[in-house]
Amino acid sequence: MLWGSKVASVWEELKRRNVVRVAIAYAVVGWLILQVADVILNNVAAPAWAFQAILLLLAIGFPLTMVIAWVYELTPEGVRKEKDIDRSDSISHITGRKLDLIIIGVLAVAVAFLLVDKIYLSKVTTVPAGTLVSQRKSIAVLPFINLSDDPGNEYFSDGIAEEILNLLAKIPQLRVTSRSSAFSFKGQNLDVPTMAARLKVDHVLEGSVRKSGDQVRITAQLIDVGTDTHLWSETYDRKMENIFAIQDEISAAVVNALQVTLLREPPHAAETDPEAYALFLQGRHLAQFVNLSAGSLSRAETILKQALALDPGFASAWVELARVYLHQAMIFGIPSFEEGGELARDAVQRALQIDPRNGRALGVLAAVKGELEWDFEGAYETIRQALILDPGNAEIMQVAARAEYVLGRLDAAIDIYRKAMTLDPLSGHIGLAVVLHSAGRLDQAMDVLETAKSLNPGASVVNHWLALVQLAQGDAPAARETIELEPDEGWRLIGLPVIEYALGNIEASDAALAELIDKFGSSSALQIAEAYAYRGEIDNAFEWLDRAYDNRDPGMTNLLVTPLLANLHDDPRWEPLLDRMGLPH
C-alpha cells in the first residue's frame, strides 16, 4: 500500500507540473516532424542518414525536455525553477490548458497531413520502385575504346570508363547502369540506340583513351539517345599525374549537360600514385568475372599487392584485393575457405581504416561475414550500412538480396534482386532465379533463366538451374536434355545424380554421383549432400553435411533454403545442425 501511494503521489506531481502534457505534446509534434521530413527528404533524394539523424535528435531531446518540464515552470516573469515558486503563485494549471490547446492544434494539423498524404501525395509517390528509379536521368557508361599502340593497354581504357561510371553512380539524381551490364556489349558490333534500349537508358557516355608513356589523351562524348544528338564532347591531353582531375572534369561535364542540380558536394576521384593507379586498373581487370580463373585471380593478387606496395593508403586497391581473396576461396577453394576468409577480412579492414565510408568495402565485408564466417546477422547489419552509404550500387544490392535469402526471407530477397536489376538489367538473373526456385515460383524462375540464356547463350550455370527448375516442375526428361547443355563440368555433374534418380536410372545416378565425389568432393560437399538427400539416403546426406561444416564450405549458407534437402527436415539431426550454423528454424 505504501509503495502504491508513493507511485500515485509521483503521478499526481507529474500531472501538476505538466510533465505528462509536455510528453504527449512532444510525442505528437515529433511524430508530425518525422512524417513531414520523410516526405520532403524522399523528394529531394536526401541520403538515408538524414532521416536517421532527425530521429536521433528527437530521441535525445525527449528526456531533456522531460527534465526541463519537471524542474522549471513558465511564469509571467519568465522561466523559473519550480522549487522557487510558491504553490499559491503557480500558474501551472493555466499552462496546462495552453498545452491542451497546442496538442489539439497539432493533432488537427496531423490529421490534415494524413488526409493530404492519403488523397494526394500517395497518388504521386506510390508507384512501383522501378518507375521511381526510371524517373531519374539515366545513363550508361560504355567501355572506352583503346587507341594506344599497345593492345595490352585495354585494361587502362576500360578502367578509366569504370572509374567515371563509379563517380557518376554516387550522384543520387542519376540512374547509372552498372559495369556488368554496360560492358556486356564489348566486342559486339551494335549501335548506340540498340545498346541503350537494352540497358533502358536515355543517355550514353562513350569515349576513347590513347596512352603513351606518361601522356594520356582521353576523348569523351555524351549522347542523348532519344534525339541522337551529342550533348557534350571534349578531348583531354594530360600527363598521368592529372588522370584524376580528368575524371572529375568529365563527371562534372556530364552532370552539367544533363542539367542535374546537385544537392551536395559532387564526388571526386580519390588520388593516388599514378603507377599504383595503373597497376590497380590492371589487377581489377584481371579479377572481373568475364576473365575469372584461378590463374587470373592469382595474377590479380600479385599486381594489386604491387600497387599497395607503392601506396599502402590506396583504399580501392585494398577492396579489390579483398574481393580477389573472397573469390579465390569461394569459387576455387584456394586458399582454404577459412584462410581465404581471414585474408579477405584483413584486406577489407585495411580499406575501412583508410575510408570508413566506403560502401563497396562494407559490401565485401558483408559477403565475407555471411559466406565464409557464417555470421549472418552481422552480414545483414553490415550490408544495411553499405546501402546507406551507396544506395545505388547494384553489386551491394545483390549482396543484400543474398543476405535475405540465406535467412529464409525469400520475398525480401526477390524484391531486392528486382530492384538491383533496374540498375543492372543484364545481370542478376541467376541469383533471382535461384530464390524463385526456392520459393516455389517455378514459372517465374523459368522466365528469368530463359532471359539469362538469351542474353548469354554459352554462359555457365544457366542450364544447370534450368534443369533443376524443370525437374521441380515434374519434367525430368526435359531436365535430362537440358543438363547435357551445361558447359561447366562441375555444375553438370552436380545436376546429373538427382535428375537420373528422378528418371529411375539408379545406376546412372550412382555413376554420376561417384564422378562428382571423385572430381569435386573437396569443393562440393553441400551439393553431394543434396544428391544423397534427394535420393533418400539420409545418413549419407548428414555425413556430407558434417564434412561441409568442418571444411567451412560456403555452400552451407544455402542449408535453410535449398529444396533438395527437404527430405532431411523431419530428421532429429536437422534442427541441431541449423543451430550449429546459427540459422533460424
Side-chain angles (χ1 to χ4, degrees):
M1 288 294 293
L2 181 61
W3 182 82
S5 64
K6 287 183 177 180
V7 170
S9 175
V10 170
W11 176 250
E12 289 300 320
E13 188 64 13
L14 287 170
K15 290 195 295 182
R16 189 190 71 80
R17 298 191 186 195
N18 291 315
V19 175
V20 176
R21 286 188 172 95
V22 170
I24 295 172
Y26 191 98
V28 173
V29 172
W31 178 86
L32 184 58
I33 290 172
L34 289 175
Q35 300 308 307
V36 174
D38 185 45
V39 172
I40 293 174
L41 294 177
N42 279 337
N43 281 279
V44 299
W49 58 260
F51 183 83
Q52 294 173 339
I54 295 173
L55 180 61
L56 179 63
L57 289 173
L58 288 172
I60 294 172
F62 182 76
L64 294 177
T65 304
M66 295 305 97
V67 170
I68 292 171
W70 174 268
V71 174
Y72 295 95
E73 182 178 330
L74 184 64
T75 71
E77 292 80 28
V79 177
R80 296 172 56 191
K81 285 189 176 181
E82 199 279 339
K83 66 179 182 179
D84 297 334
I85 302 172
D86 189 275
R87 288 289 179 94
S88 61
D89 296 331
S90 174
I91 62 167
S92 61
H93 59 290
I94 298 175
T95 305
R97 286 197 293 272
K98 292 180 180 179
L99 284 171
D100 289 340
L101 293 174
I102 291 173
I103 293 171
I104 293 170
V106 174
L107 283 174
V109 173
V111 170
F113 178 83
L114 284 174
L115 289 173
V116 171
D117 182 51
K118 185 73 173 177
I119 297 171
Y120 175 69
L121 294 179
S122 62
K123 292 181 181 179
V124 175
T125 61
T126 306
V127 294
T131 304
L132 288 175
V133 170
S134 67
Q135 288 174 354
R136 291 182 285 168
K137 297 289 179 67
S138 57
I139 184 172
V141 181
L142 301 180
F144 283 15
I145 299 170
N146 174 33
L147 296 181
S148 305
D149 294 334
D150 181 4
N153 279 334
E154 188 172 351
Y155 76 87
F156 189 81
S157 57
D158 282 357
I160 295 299
E162 184 172 354
E163 290 293 285
I164 295 169
L165 184 156
N166 290 336
L167 278 177
L168 293 173
K170 294 178 181 178
I171 299 172
Q173 293 85 356
L174 289 178
R175 177 171 65 84
V176 183
T177 299
S178 74
R179 181 199 187 279
S180 59
S181 286
F183 280 42
S184 65
F185 301 111
K186 189 175 179 179
Q188 300 183 36
N189 189 23
L190 296 175
D191 57 27
V192 168
T194 299
M195 289 185 283
R198 293 188 184 180
L199 295 171
K200 301 177 182 178
V201 295
D202 300 321
H203 305 88
V204 165
L205 181 70
E206 61 178 8
S208 62
V209 177
R210 184 186 297 275
K211 182 176 181 291
S212 179
D214 68 343
Q215 290 293 129
V216 180
R217 166 175 284 190
I218 297 178
T219 299
Q221 53 188 6
L222 180 66
I223 301 171
D224 184 320
V225 179
T227 60
D228 194 24
T229 57
H230 288 69
L231 298 180
W232 163 85
S233 64
E234 189 63 73
T235 297
Y236 304 85
D237 286 297
R238 307 283 178 83
K239 289 187 175 182
M240 267 294 294
E241 62 191 34
N242 296 318
I243 193 69
F244 310 104
I246 296 175
Q247 294 170 18
D248 288 347
E249 289 177 34
I250 293 175
S251 173
V254 169
V255 168
N256 183 60
L258 294 179
Q259 299 180 352
V260 173
T261 302
L262 297 183
L263 301 174
R264 66 191 79 170
E265 179 73 15
H268 296 286
E271 298 189 19
T272 184
D273 177 88
E275 185 179 350
Y277 183 67
L279 288 167
F280 161 72
L281 294 182
Q282 187 176 359
R284 186 174 64 184
H285 178 77
L286 287 167
Q288 296 294 347
F289 271 107
V290 69
N291 304 313
L292 211 57
S293 68
S296 69
L297 286 175
S298 178
R299 293 194 299 276
E301 178 187 352
T302 300
I303 291 170
L304 289 167
K305 285 180 177 178
Q306 291 172 359
L308 288 165
L310 292 171
D311 182 4
F314 193 179
S316 293
W318 282 112
V319 174
E320 205 58 46
L321 183 60
R323 292 180 73 248
V324 167
Y325 287 137
L326 180 66
H327 292 151
Q328 282 177 326
M330 287 188 60
I331 299 173
F332 301 103
I334 306 170
S336 68
F337 299 131
E338 189 169 3
E339 184 182 354
E342 292 174 356
L343 289 170
R345 173 179 272 277
D346 289 345
V348 80
Q349 291 288 15
R350 290 290 297 271
L352 288 169
Q353 288 171 7
I354 299 164
D355 181 8
R357 296 182 60 79
N358 191 311
R360 289 189 73 245
L362 286 170
V364 174
L365 180 59
V368 171
K369 287 181 176 182
E371 305 293 345
L372 296 177
E373 297 179 351
W374 301 345
D375 177 10
F376 304 115
E377 292 297 340
Y380 189 84
E381 175 58 26
T382 302
I383 202 64
R384 189 188 67 81
Q385 297 172 19
L387 285 171
I388 290 173
L389 294 172
D390 199 351
N393 189 310
E395 180 182 334
I396 295 175
M397 292 179 74
Q398 290 184 9
V399 177
R402 173 75 183 159
E404 298 281 9
Y405 174 67
V406 298
L407 291 173
R409 303 165 185 166
L410 303 184
D411 288 341
I414 291 168
D415 183 52
I416 296 172
Y417 266 123
R418 292 197 185 280
K419 289 178 180 176
M421 290 172 69
T422 63
L423 300 168
D424 196 355
L426 304 184
S427 180
H429 295 83
I430 302 299
L432 175 58
V434 170
V435 184
L436 290 168
H437 174 249
S438 295
R441 302 187 192 180
L442 303 178
D443 291 342
Q444 294 178 41
M446 183 64 72
D447 290 342
V448 171
L449 289 167
E450 291 289 359
T451 300
K453 191 170 184 177
S454 68
L455 292 170
N456 191 351
S460 299
V461 185
V462 176
N463 285 301
H464 165 85
W465 283 106
L466 273 170
L468 288 189
V469 171
Q470 289 170 329
L471 181 65
Q473 290 175 324
D475 194 350
R480 182 66 179 80
E481 292 181 9
T482 301
I483 199 65
E484 286 298 330
L485 301 175
E486 173 55 51
D488 185 274
E489 182 186 23
W491 286 109
R492 187 169 66 255
L493 284 175
I494 287 170
L496 269 174
V498 296
I499 294 171
E500 293 286 14
Y501 185 83
L503 288 167
N505 301 330
I506 307 303
E507 290 185 4
S509 177
D510 289 341
L513 185 53
E515 188 177 0
L516 174 63
I517 292 171
D518 179 58
K519 292 183 176 180
F520 302 100
S522 61
S523 60
S524 301
L526 185 278
Q527 288 78 17
I528 294 168
E530 287 179 328
Y532 276 124
Y534 186 83
R535 288 158 44 119
E537 299 174 52
I538 307 302
D539 290 340
N540 286 336
F542 275 105
E543 178 187 338
W544 277 94
L545 286 175
D546 286 338
R547 291 191 193 189
Y549 182 89
D550 293 339
N551 292 337
R552 307 291 298 181
D553 187 336
M556 288 293 284
T557 58
N558 298 321
L559 196 66
L560 189 67
V561 287
T562 171
L564 293 176
L565 294 178
N567 287 337
L568 306 184
H569 292 180
D570 293 332
D571 190 281
R573 291 168 285 187
W574 177 250
E575 290 192 358
L577 179 60
L578 295 179
D579 290 337
R580 286 162 64 194
M581 286 292 299
L583 289 167
H585 292 182

